Amino acid sequence: MAAVTDQADRLTDDNTDEFDRRMMLRAIRLARRGEGRVEPNPMVGCVIVRSGSVIAEGSHRRFGGPHAEVAALAHCTRSPRGATAYVSLEPCCHVGKTPPCCDALIDAGLARVVVAVGDPNPEVNGRGIRRLREAGIRVDEGICAAESAEVLAPVFTCRRLGRPYVIAKWAQSLDGRVATKRGDSRWISCPQSRREVHRLRARVDAILVGSGTAKADDPLLTARDVPIKRVARRVVVDGRLRTSMTSQLVTTAKRVPTLVLTSADRAKSTKARRLESSGVEIAACRARSGRWLPEACLAALLSRGVTNVLIEGGPEVLTSFFKADLVDEARVFVAPILVGGGPRHSAIADLGVGSISDALSPVSCATRRVGVDTLHEMRFHDSPVA
Ligand code: AOF
Ligand code: ZN
């Protein structure tokens, strides 16, 4: 990344809260550039400022690559001695795939380090900040903590809650339908919305559907016509192991990782062996009274290194995850069309909501136009901050 000396940031009033916030928000924006490429690592950005001028910026860009602080230090246009580093996550103090960032900051002679949030990784967890202070560096914590925690929500959810971050996505008509009476659903959303979904598919670790959707839509669940940041593992929740041997998911399983979660019994069946010979991974998933448990699906995914999962339906799967309060984010594309029909064709089935005051409501909702559709991006939980 090119180093930056930005006249607009040549302020004499550095050290003020407002300046600190501006610089940290810049570091958080840089952090986002790693989305889809750094997982299961966190997205981190770093801005280095000396005498009120930005002398370098950097971010963690890919898993196994240099951390944000080291990337920024490598791009300094002037000596960083006596400078301030704004880092969106506590600098690490352990030897991982790369040496500790704390040591790099100490060796470079930084005078002050501003940190947004602590790193919940047990190998760091406050020790990074302590090490910097012990070396005589002034450390200020908690600047734009909420903003950074939002970007880090998937990593924090894995570390703190022991499960992957869940994104639910569906497209519906203005009257809340996801299909017509005879089951037609192609296409409810506009081409721009579908492209947006492919962008999402191109950066998540896993894409999950129920067996009903796998059967009805015969989806491929791959990202197409967008830059691919990672190849998501495709996951079908299929208690009765009905997934067809001739489905697109199964016939492409040797090329794209595909996991079918089923009951302990079915996982031992002949059908399971046949699916495996087509390249499908089969895993047993805990059920209760014959119904699969969403938390068991997430445990199976976490144990396979999945940090975030996109749920693409159908209603049974979405309803179970919502009922278990396991949806962190929903992206709902609303098309300006009316379909009519019955409740059987809505995105979510009965949630047990009696009065409107009990309806599920997000902690935040951002709305924007995508082509002719309206996209609602809802978050249902605050990030579990370190
Ligand atoms: C930082 N700056 O930019 C990031 C940090 O395997 P490694 O060496 O890449 O280390 C990964 C761990 O380092 C990760 O789990 C998290 O605790 C921390 N990530 N730390 O100082 C960064 N990405
Ligand atoms: Zn580091």
Side-chain angles (χ1 to χ4, degrees), residues 132-165:
L132 293 171
R133 286 195 175 129
E134 279 164 10
I137 294 178
R138 172 180 159 192
V139 181
D140 293 308
E141 300 171 64
I143 315 301
C144 302
E147 289 87 345
S148 184
E150 189 176 314
V151 174
L152 293 164
V155 167
F156 285 3
T157 301
C158 291
R159 291 261 183 219
R160 296 269 176 229
L161 306 180
R163 64 165 177 83
Y165 184 81

mmCIF file of all heavy atoms in Angstrom, residues 132-165:
data_model
loop_
_atom_site.group_PDB
_atom_site.id
_atom_site.type_symbol
_atom_site.label_atom_id
_atom_site.label_comp_id
_atom_site.label_asym_id
_atom_site.label_seq_id
_atom_site.Cartn_x
_atom_site.Cartn_y
_atom_site.Cartn_z
ATOM 1 N N LEU A 132 3.874 -2.745 25.989
ATOM 2 C CA LEU A 132 4.172 -1.413 25.439
ATOM 3 C C LEU A 132 4.409 -0.424 26.576
ATOM 4 O O LEU A 132 5.361 0.369 26.539
ATOM 5 C CB LEU A 132 3.008 -0.932 24.556
ATOM 6 C CG LEU A 132 2.756 -1.709 23.262
ATOM 7 C CD1 LEU A 132 1.454 -1.256 22.613
ATOM 8 C CD2 LEU A 132 3.919 -1.521 22.278
ATOM 9 N N ARG A 133 3.556 -0.491 27.589
ATOM 10 C CA ARG A 133 3.692 0.441 28.727
ATOM 11 C C ARG A 133 5.005 0.204 29.456
ATOM 12 O O ARG A 133 5.692 1.157 29.837
ATOM 13 C CB ARG A 133 2.514 0.289 29.692
ATOM 14 C CG ARG A 133 1.246 0.912 29.111
ATOM 15 C CD ARG A 133 0.162 1.110 30.162
ATOM 16 N NE ARG A 133 -0.955 1.821 29.559
ATOM 17 C CZ ARG A 133 -2.231 1.447 29.616
ATOM 18 N NH1 ARG A 133 -2.569 0.366 30.305
ATOM 19 N NH2 ARG A 133 -3.166 2.161 29.025
ATOM 20 N N GLU A 134 5.347 -1.059 29.628
ATOM 21 C CA GLU A 134 6.601 -1.378 30.317
ATOM 22 C C GLU A 134 7.806 -0.818 29.564
ATOM 23 O O GLU A 134 8.836 -0.520 30.156
ATOM 24 C CB GLU A 134 6.749 -2.897 30.479
ATOM 25 C CG GLU A 134 5.948 -3.418 31.677
ATOM 26 C CD GLU A 134 5.741 -4.925 31.663
ATOM 27 O OE1 GLU A 134 6.370 -5.615 30.827
ATOM 28 O OE2 GLU A 134 4.933 -5.398 32.480
ATOM 29 N N ALA A 135 7.648 -0.684 28.244
ATOM 30 C CA ALA A 135 8.751 -0.138 27.428
ATOM 31 C C ALA A 135 8.725 1.391 27.429
ATOM 32 O O ALA A 135 9.491 2.033 26.703
ATOM 33 C CB ALA A 135 8.649 -0.680 26.005
ATOM 34 N N GLY A 136 7.797 1.981 28.207
ATOM 35 C CA GLY A 136 7.766 3.446 28.321
ATOM 36 C C GLY A 136 6.889 4.131 27.291
ATOM 37 O O GLY A 136 6.924 5.360 27.153
ATOM 38 N N ILE A 137 6.120 3.343 26.554
ATOM 39 C CA ILE A 137 5.232 3.941 25.549
ATOM 40 C C ILE A 137 3.909 4.312 26.213
ATOM 41 O O ILE A 137 3.371 3.546 27.012
ATOM 42 C CB ILE A 137 4.994 2.950 24.377
ATOM 43 C CG1 ILE A 137 6.317 2.714 23.625
ATOM 44 C CG2 ILE A 137 3.918 3.455 23.424
ATOM 45 C CD1 ILE A 137 6.222 1.727 22.475
ATOM 46 N N ARG A 138 3.398 5.500 25.890
ATOM 47 C CA ARG A 138 2.080 5.881 26.420
ATOM 48 C C ARG A 138 1.010 5.145 25.607
ATOM 49 O O ARG A 138 1.034 5.168 24.375
ATOM 50 C CB ARG A 138 1.900 7.396 26.287
ATOM 51 C CG ARG A 138 0.490 7.823 26.638
ATOM 52 C CD ARG A 138 0.314 9.329 26.513
ATOM 53 N NE ARG A 138 -1.101 9.646 26.365
ATOM 54 C CZ ARG A 138 -1.561 10.830 26.001
ATOM 55 N NH1 ARG A 138 -0.731 11.824 25.744
ATOM 56 N NH2 ARG A 138 -2.854 11.036 25.881
ATOM 57 N N VAL A 139 0.113 4.469 26.292
ATOM 58 C CA VAL A 139 -0.950 3.737 25.584
ATOM 59 C C VAL A 139 -2.312 4.268 26.022
ATOM 60 O O VAL A 139 -2.596 4.362 27.215
ATOM 61 C CB VAL A 139 -0.886 2.210 25.870
ATOM 62 C CG1 VAL A 139 -1.980 1.476 25.097
ATOM 63 C CG2 VAL A 139 0.480 1.639 25.508
ATOM 64 N N ASP A 140 -3.131 4.656 25.034
ATOM 65 C CA ASP A 140 -4.512 5.058 25.326
ATOM 66 C C ASP A 140 -5.446 4.037 24.697
ATOM 67 O O ASP A 140 -5.299 3.707 23.519
ATOM 68 C CB ASP A 140 -4.793 6.455 24.742
ATOM 69 C CG ASP A 140 -3.978 7.524 25.460
ATOM 70 O OD1 ASP A 140 -4.025 7.568 26.703
ATOM 71 O OD2 ASP A 140 -3.258 8.284 24.772
ATOM 72 N N GLU A 141 -6.386 3.551 25.490
ATOM 73 C CA GLU A 141 -7.284 2.486 25.019
ATOM 74 C C GLU A 141 -8.705 2.991 24.851
ATOM 75 O O GLU A 141 -9.087 3.984 25.444
ATOM 76 C CB GLU A 141 -7.369 1.357 26.058
ATOM 77 C CG GLU A 141 -6.095 0.680 26.404
ATOM 78 C CD GLU A 141 -6.313 -0.260 27.596
ATOM 79 O OE1 GLU A 141 -7.076 -1.229 27.437
ATOM 80 O OE2 GLU A 141 -5.735 -0.004 28.667
ATOM 81 N N GLY A 142 -9.478 2.235 24.048
ATOM 82 C CA GLY A 142 -10.931 2.456 23.984
ATOM 83 C C GLY A 142 -11.369 3.542 23.022
ATOM 84 O O GLY A 142 -12.535 3.917 23.020
ATOM 85 N N ILE A 143 -10.460 4.054 22.179
ATOM 86 C CA ILE A 143 -10.850 5.084 21.204
ATOM 87 C C ILE A 143 -11.582 4.390 20.044
ATOM 88 O O ILE A 143 -11.013 3.507 19.403
ATOM 89 C CB ILE A 143 -9.613 5.847 20.647
ATOM 90 C CG1 ILE A 143 -8.639 6.246 21.761
ATOM 91 C CG2 ILE A 143 -10.030 7.028 19.778
ATOM 92 C CD1 ILE A 143 -9.165 7.111 22.848
ATOM 93 N N CYS A 144 -12.808 4.770 19.785
ATOM 94 C CA CYS A 144 -13.654 4.146 18.749
ATOM 95 C C CYS A 144 -13.781 2.640 18.981
ATOM 96 O O CYS A 144 -13.777 1.851 18.024
ATOM 97 C CB CYS A 144 -13.121 4.410 17.344
ATOM 98 S SG CYS A 144 -12.975 6.143 16.944
ATOM 99 N N ALA A 145 -13.920 2.252 20.232
ATOM 100 C CA ALA A 145 -14.013 0.823 20.562
ATOM 101 C C ALA A 145 -15.225 0.176 19.887
ATOM 102 O O ALA A 145 -15.114 -0.920 19.324
ATOM 103 C CB ALA A 145 -14.099 0.651 22.083
ATOM 104 N N ALA A 146 -16.372 0.853 19.925
ATOM 105 C CA ALA A 146 -17.586 0.245 19.353
ATOM 106 C C ALA A 146 -17.440 0.049 17.847
ATOM 107 O O ALA A 146 -17.821 -0.989 17.300
ATOM 108 C CB ALA A 146 -18.794 1.124 19.662
ATOM 109 N N GLU A 147 -16.838 1.043 17.182
ATOM 110 C CA GLU A 147 -16.690 0.960 15.722
ATOM 111 C C GLU A 147 -15.758 -0.186 15.335
ATOM 112 O O GLU A 147 -16.007 -0.924 14.384
ATOM 113 C CB GLU A 147 -16.141 2.276 15.158
ATOM 114 C CG GLU A 147 -17.137 3.438 15.188
ATOM 115 C CD GLU A 147 -17.131 4.199 16.513
ATOM 116 O OE1 GLU A 147 -16.578 3.691 17.518
ATOM 117 O OE2 GLU A 147 -17.706 5.301 16.545
ATOM 118 N N SER A 148 -14.672 -0.344 16.074
ATOM 119 C CA SER A 148 -13.741 -1.426 15.757
ATOM 120 C C SER A 148 -14.354 -2.784 16.110
ATOM 121 O O SER A 148 -14.229 -3.756 15.364
ATOM 122 C CB SER A 148 -12.411 -1.234 16.499
ATOM 123 O OG SER A 148 -11.509 -2.234 16.091
ATOM 124 N N ALA A 149 -15.053 -2.821 17.245
ATOM 125 C CA ALA A 149 -15.684 -4.083 17.669
ATOM 126 C C ALA A 149 -16.709 -4.551 16.642
ATOM 127 O O ALA A 149 -16.907 -5.747 16.457
ATOM 128 C CB ALA A 149 -16.341 -3.906 19.031
ATOM 129 N N GLU A 150 -17.336 -3.595 15.954
ATOM 130 C CA GLU A 150 -18.318 -3.974 14.932
ATOM 131 C C GLU A 150 -17.618 -4.704 13.782
ATOM 132 O O GLU A 150 -18.076 -5.746 13.316
ATOM 133 C CB GLU A 150 -19.027 -2.717 14.433
ATOM 134 C CG GLU A 150 -20.200 -3.032 13.541
ATOM 135 C CD GLU A 150 -20.952 -1.784 13.119
ATOM 136 O OE1 GLU A 150 -21.225 -0.924 13.971
ATOM 137 O OE2 GLU A 150 -21.274 -1.694 11.917
ATOM 138 N N VAL A 151 -16.476 -4.168 13.362
ATOM 139 C CA VAL A 151 -15.708 -4.823 12.294
ATOM 140 C C VAL A 151 -15.197 -6.188 12.766
ATOM 141 O O VAL A 151 -15.115 -7.145 11.997
ATOM 142 C CB VAL A 151 -14.517 -3.922 11.869
ATOM 143 C CG1 VAL A 151 -13.614 -4.627 10.877
ATOM 144 C CG2 VAL A 151 -15.034 -2.613 11.286
ATOM 145 N N LEU A 152 -14.867 -6.271 14.042
ATOM 146 C CA LEU A 152 -14.286 -7.496 14.592
ATOM 147 C C LEU A 152 -15.335 -8.471 15.130
ATOM 148 O O LEU A 152 -14.980 -9.496 15.731
ATOM 149 C CB LEU A 152 -13.294 -7.130 15.702
ATOM 150 C CG LEU A 152 -12.035 -6.398 15.223
ATOM 151 C CD1 LEU A 152 -11.313 -5.742 16.386
ATOM 152 C CD2 LEU A 152 -11.106 -7.355 14.502
ATOM 153 N N ALA A 153 -16.623 -8.149 14.922
ATOM 154 C CA ALA A 153 -17.693 -8.972 15.514
ATOM 155 C C ALA A 153 -17.541 -10.475 15.232
ATOM 156 O O ALA A 153 -17.703 -11.288 16.144
ATOM 157 C CB ALA A 153 -19.063 -8.462 15.071
ATOM 158 N N PRO A 154 -17.205 -10.897 14.003
ATOM 159 C CA PRO A 154 -17.071 -12.346 13.783
ATOM 160 C C PRO A 154 -15.980 -12.990 14.647
ATOM 161 O O PRO A 154 -16.218 -14.019 15.269
ATOM 162 C CB PRO A 154 -16.722 -12.447 12.291
ATOM 163 C CG PRO A 154 -17.321 -11.214 11.701
ATOM 164 C CD PRO A 154 -17.143 -10.145 12.736
ATOM 165 N N VAL A 155 -14.816 -12.351 14.724
ATOM 166 C CA VAL A 155 -13.717 -12.918 15.523
ATOM 167 C C VAL A 155 -14.093 -12.920 17.005
ATOM 168 O O VAL A 155 -13.872 -13.897 17.720
ATOM 169 C CB VAL A 155 -12.418 -12.106 15.289
ATOM 170 C CG1 VAL A 155 -11.357 -12.455 16.306
ATOM 171 C CG2 VAL A 155 -11.897 -12.359 13.886
ATOM 172 N N PHE A 156 -14.706 -11.824 17.472
ATOM 173 C CA PHE A 156 -15.095 -11.740 18.880
ATOM 174 C C PHE A 156 -16.190 -12.766 19.198
ATOM 175 O O PHE A 156 -16.231 -13.335 20.285
ATOM 176 C CB PHE A 156 -15.587 -10.331 19.229
ATOM 177 C CG PHE A 156 -14.474 -9.319 19.355
ATOM 178 C CD1 PHE A 156 -13.156 -9.664 19.105
ATOM 179 C CD2 PHE A 156 -14.745 -8.012 19.731
ATOM 180 C CE1 PHE A 156 -12.131 -8.735 19.225
ATOM 181 C CE2 PHE A 156 -13.726 -7.070 19.860
ATOM 182 C CZ PHE A 156 -12.425 -7.435 19.601
ATOM 183 N N THR A 157 -17.103 -12.993 18.253
ATOM 184 C CA THR A 157 -18.177 -13.969 18.469
ATOM 185 C C THR A 157 -17.578 -15.367 18.626
ATOM 186 O O THR A 157 -17.974 -16.136 19.493
ATOM 187 C CB THR A 157 -19.184 -13.915 17.298
ATOM 188 O OG1 THR A 157 -19.715 -12.590 17.241
ATOM 189 C CG2 THR A 157 -20.333 -14.887 17.478
ATOM 190 N N CYS A 158 -16.595 -15.686 17.798
ATOM 191 C CA CYS A 158 -15.925 -17.000 17.913
ATOM 192 C C CYS A 158 -15.206 -17.114 19.244
ATOM 193 O O CYS A 158 -15.349 -18.105 19.956
ATOM 194 C CB CYS A 158 -14.911 -17.191 16.788
ATOM 195 S SG CYS A 158 -15.669 -17.370 15.188
ATOM 196 N N ARG A 159 -14.442 -16.088 19.593
ATOM 197 C CA ARG A 159 -13.637 -16.147 20.825
ATOM 198 C C ARG A 159 -14.480 -16.118 22.082
ATOM 199 O O ARG A 159 -14.222 -16.844 23.025
ATOM 200 C CB ARG A 159 -12.673 -14.959 20.876
ATOM 201 C CG ARG A 159 -11.569 -15.016 19.842
ATOM 202 C CD ARG A 159 -10.285 -15.548 20.454
ATOM 203 N NE ARG A 159 -9.207 -15.523 19.468
ATOM 204 C CZ ARG A 159 -8.297 -16.471 19.361
ATOM 205 N NH1 ARG A 159 -8.321 -17.516 20.161
ATOM 206 N NH2 ARG A 159 -7.351 -16.382 18.460
ATOM 207 N N ARG A 160 -15.494 -15.236 22.101
ATOM 208 C CA ARG A 160 -16.259 -15.030 23.333
ATOM 209 C C ARG A 160 -17.451 -15.968 23.464
ATOM 210 O O ARG A 160 -17.796 -16.383 24.551
ATOM 211 C CB ARG A 160 -16.764 -13.582 23.406
ATOM 212 C CG ARG A 160 -15.670 -12.559 23.503
ATOM 213 C CD ARG A 160 -15.339 -12.268 24.963
ATOM 214 N NE ARG A 160 -14.214 -11.360 25.053
ATOM 215 C CZ ARG A 160 -13.164 -11.572 25.837
ATOM 216 N NH1 ARG A 160 -13.096 -12.645 26.597
ATOM 217 N NH2 ARG A 160 -12.176 -10.703 25.871
ATOM 218 N N LEU A 161 -18.115 -16.240 22.330
ATOM 219 C CA LEU A 161 -19.338 -17.052 22.406
ATOM 220 C C LEU A 161 -19.117 -18.477 21.919
ATOM 221 O O LEU A 161 -20.028 -19.313 21.992
ATOM 222 C CB LEU A 161 -20.475 -16.384 21.616
ATOM 223 C CG LEU A 161 -20.785 -14.921 21.980
ATOM 224 C CD1 LEU A 161 -21.924 -14.386 21.124
ATOM 225 C CD2 LEU A 161 -21.149 -14.797 23.467
ATOM 226 N N GLY A 162 -17.940 -18.753 21.374
ATOM 227 C CA GLY A 162 -17.633 -20.119 20.943
ATOM 228 C C GLY A 162 -18.489 -20.603 19.789
ATOM 229 O O GLY A 162 -18.837 -21.769 19.697
ATOM 230 N N ARG A 163 -18.837 -19.684 18.887
ATOM 231 C CA ARG A 163 -19.578 -20.085 17.685
ATOM 232 C C ARG A 163 -19.272 -19.096 16.557
ATOM 233 O O ARG A 163 -18.860 -17.959 16.823
ATOM 234 C CB ARG A 163 -21.087 -20.105 17.961
ATOM 235 C CG ARG A 163 -21.656 -18.733 18.308
ATOM 236 C CD ARG A 163 -23.172 -18.718 18.226
ATOM 237 N NE ARG A 163 -23.741 -17.432 18.622
ATOM 238 C CZ ARG A 163 -23.858 -16.375 17.826
ATOM 239 N NH1 ARG A 163 -23.424 -16.421 16.582
ATOM 240 N NH2 ARG A 163 -24.408 -15.263 18.275
ATOM 241 N N PRO A 164 -19.484 -19.524 15.295
ATOM 242 C CA PRO A 164 -19.267 -18.576 14.199
ATOM 243 C C PRO A 164 -20.319 -17.465 14.196
ATOM 244 O O PRO A 164 -21.391 -17.622 14.781
ATOM 245 C CB PRO A 164 -19.432 -19.438 12.941
ATOM 246 C CG PRO A 164 -19.410 -20.849 13.379
ATOM 247 C CD PRO A 164 -19.836 -20.868 14.818
ATOM 248 N N TYR A 165 -20.000 -16.388 13.525
ATOM 249 C CA TYR A 165 -20.901 -15.243 13.340
ATOM 250 C C TYR A 165 -21.895 -15.616 12.233
ATOM 251 O O TYR A 165 -21.496 -16.138 11.189
ATOM 252 C CB TYR A 165 -20.040 -14.053 12.929
ATOM 253 C CG TYR A 165 -20.748 -12.743 12.777
ATOM 254 C CD1 TYR A 165 -21.035 -11.954 13.879
ATOM 255 C CD2 TYR A 165 -21.088 -12.274 11.516
ATOM 256 C CE1 TYR A 165 -21.655 -10.723 13.735
ATOM 257 C CE2 TYR A 165 -21.709 -11.045 11.356
ATOM 258 C CZ TYR A 165 -21.991 -10.275 12.476
ATOM 259 O OH TYR A 165 -22.604 -9.059 12.323
#
